Amino acid sequence: MYQKILLAVDLSSHAELLCQKAAEMAELHQASLSVISVVEPIVSDSAFDTMPPLPVDFDDLRLQSLRERLQQLGAKYGIRAEQRFLEIGVPKREICRKASDLVSDLIIVGSHGRHGVELLLGSTANAVLHHAQCDVLAVRIHK
Ligand code: AMP
């Protein structure tokens, strides 16, 4: 039986499916469920001036909207507020770090995320599978 499940979502359209599966797994195992979403910082390089500059508060607005989305999903699928994590960094690293911090015994990821379904397994999912210290469940995301 799993006791501490960590769900990783990139807040794309697949997030609902992943939340539903994770909530079912948690219920089945009587486990606690946490969710993490990792925001990758946008690095702008002034050497490339083909794109108009981003508004100064762009990152704040992006973070705010992602935070709201995560809160909505958490509330809908019964994930407690203190178990919803929005982190900034490299997704694979932050997911594995959070799983270690929480002593999770299962990480749930989607087989694919925002980057498309060309590969057998997405790059984040693949990296988590290789680096996690616990079991990893990849939920199949169809095209
Ligand atoms: P990818 O490997 O990027 O195609 O995404 C596969 C899965 O990894 C997604 O369905 C999520 O479960 C997880 N994932 C990808 N990016 C993130 C992210 N930024 N934050 C949290 N989980 C993510």
Side-chain angles (χ1 to χ4, degrees), residues 8-10 18 36-38 91 95 109-116 122-125:
V9 288
D10 62 9
L18 292 178
I36 181 171
S37 189
V38 185
I95 295 167
V109 292
S111 57
H112 301 89
R114 250 185 283 136
H115 301 112
S123 59
T124 308

Side-chain angles (χ1 to χ4, degrees), residues 102-137:
L102 297 174
V103 202
S104 305
D105 46 12
L106 178 68
I107 302 174
I108 299 180
V109 292
S111 57
H112 301 89
R114 250 185 283 136
H115 301 112
V117 290
E118 288 77 22
L119 302 168
L120 188 59
L121 199 60
S123 59
T124 308
N126 193 44
V128 170
L129 193 59
H130 278 92
H131 296 289
Q133 304 289 317
C134 63
D135 290 358
V136 178
L137 171 69

Side-chain angles (χ1 to χ4, degrees), residues 69-89:
R69 176 84 181 115
L70 186 64
Q71 301 307 350
Q72 277 170 3
L73 280 171
K76 180 168 175 186
Y77 291 96
I79 305 169
R80 298 195 347 237
E82 62 274 23
Q83 287 176 293
R84 305 171 197 159
F85 301 96
L86 188 68
E87 304 290 347
I88 298 173

Side-chain angles (χ1 to χ4, degrees), residues 1-5 25-33 105:
M1 297 289 271
Y2 294 111
Q3 294 181 331
K4 291 184 176 187
I5 299 175
M25 279 292 282
E27 165 109 42
L28 194 69
H29 287 261
Q30 293 294 295
S32 74
L33 178 59
D105 46 12

